[in-house]
Amino acid sequence: MDQNHLPTYMIRTAYREDWQPAMALAWKTFLKYEAPVYTQEGIQNFREFITDTTLYRMFIVGSYQMFVAVVNSQIVGMLTVRSVSHISLLFVDEAYHKQGIARGLVQNLCDFLLQEVGGIDKVTVNAAPCATGFYHKMGFCDIGEETIKDGITFTPMAKKLM
């Protein structure tokens, strides 16, 4: 997509019907960018995580927050949050990379936490290897070393909100 003609996107809280398309986007993007450097155990554990019915039920009752970026009614980005301020998943459709959507999703979360939730002083994430550069640009700092748990490779990071 031409940088001079970036799509207009809207970020909003996800609806119940957004769950499946958002998780499909996460899976497709994971397979393309992260799975090639993960073990079979890591790939399987990621798949089980995004298809877990308990996670879906948590989303339905509001204890697992999701925001989506939408272009022409199509979900092109998604961010989920657990434990109020921990980014659990952040994925953007490949066709929309480098267009500010991931940045917008993270900023939307930070604004939401400051304005709607209150009392939150930081956002955390366990960043995948291909995402650490992005999170550093967003102001996140490493708070631990790269770790592998259950076949999933990540670097724990945090960003101060205040």
Side-chain angles (χ1 to χ4, degrees), residues 21-140:
M23 290 304 141
L25 169 64
W27 179 241
K28 180 177 86 171
T29 309
F30 172 85
L31 286 175
K32 170 101 181 179
Y33 293 98
E34 295 178 37
V37 298
Y38 278 40
T39 63
Q40 277 307 119
E41 176 192 24
I43 295 167
Q44 181 63 32
N45 283 330
F46 182 82
R47 180 75 173 149
E48 288 173 8
F49 178 74
I50 65 170
T51 59
D52 183 50
T53 56
T54 301
L55 193 66
Y56 175 68
R57 284 193 299 276
M58 290 170 57
F59 165 70
I60 294 302
V61 300
S63 62
Y64 188 71
Q65 184 77 38
M66 181 191 299
F67 298 97
V68 292
V70 179
V71 173
N72 298 326
S73 74
Q74 176 190 354
I75 295 174
V76 299
M78 56 86 74
L79 178 144
T80 61
V81 185
R82 66 176 161 85
S83 303
V84 181
S85 63
H86 180 82
I87 297 171
S88 179
L89 300 169
L90 173 59
F91 290 96
V92 174
D93 186 285
E94 178 181 23
Y96 293 88
H97 281 190
K98 308 254 185 235
Q99 296 177 31
I101 293 172
R103 176 177 294 279
L105 285 162
V106 172
Q107 189 58 56
N108 183 77
L109 171 63
C110 293
D111 293 346
F112 173 79
L113 292 172
L114 287 170
Q115 296 167 11
E116 304 293 327
V117 177
I120 305 294
D121 64 347
K122 70 179 175 180
V123 175
T124 59
V125 66
N126 291 334
C130 67
T132 56
F134 164 78
Y135 283 111
H136 286 145
K137 288 179 189 173
M138 291 294 301
F140 285 76

